[in-house]
Amino acid sequence: RPDVRTDAELPAPQFIEEAVEAGRVMSGAVREPFVRLDFYEDHKGIVFGEVTPAPGGNQIMRPDVDARLGAMWEAAEARLRTDAIARGLHDLSRGSHPITS
């Protein structure tokens, strides 16, 4: 994002592999095509922060990044639907609201 300054001196995460693996496990359990999982780290390792289903604010992305994320969302939705069919479910549900699109 052009409006966000980053600090080049900020150190790289020490526990990136652990955070990525935890993200894989948790995102599989959430069963949504998109969710943001926040992790932090302290001197012992990673700490789970929160699940954010729809980040707020103005999300500005380059067109190529937007297209890539959109394709990833569609692929995730297809995997969820395929899994639901394999389990004998006829639709996906999120809470009490079925997905009809």
Side-chain angles (χ1 to χ4, degrees), residues 35-78:
V35 67
R36 188 182 77 200
L37 301 169
D38 293 348
F39 295 95
Y40 306 92
E41 64 178 32
D42 64 14
H43 65 284
K44 295 179 185 178
I46 63 167
V47 177
F48 174 69
E50 66 182 20
V51 174
T52 305
N58 190 10
Q59 306 297 318
I60 302 170
M61 290 174 241
R62 295 186 330 239
D64 62 312
V65 173
D66 187 39
R68 172 86 170 125
L69 292 174
M72 291 170 69
W73 183 308
E74 290 175 352
E77 183 76 24

Side-chain angles (χ1 to χ4, degrees), residues 21-32 35 37 80 83 87:
E21 181 58 23
R24 278 191 188 108
V25 171
M26 289 182 70
S27 67
V30 171
R31 312 293 301 157
E32 292 285 336
V35 67
L37 301 169
L80 288 170
D83 183 53
R87 293 172 183 237

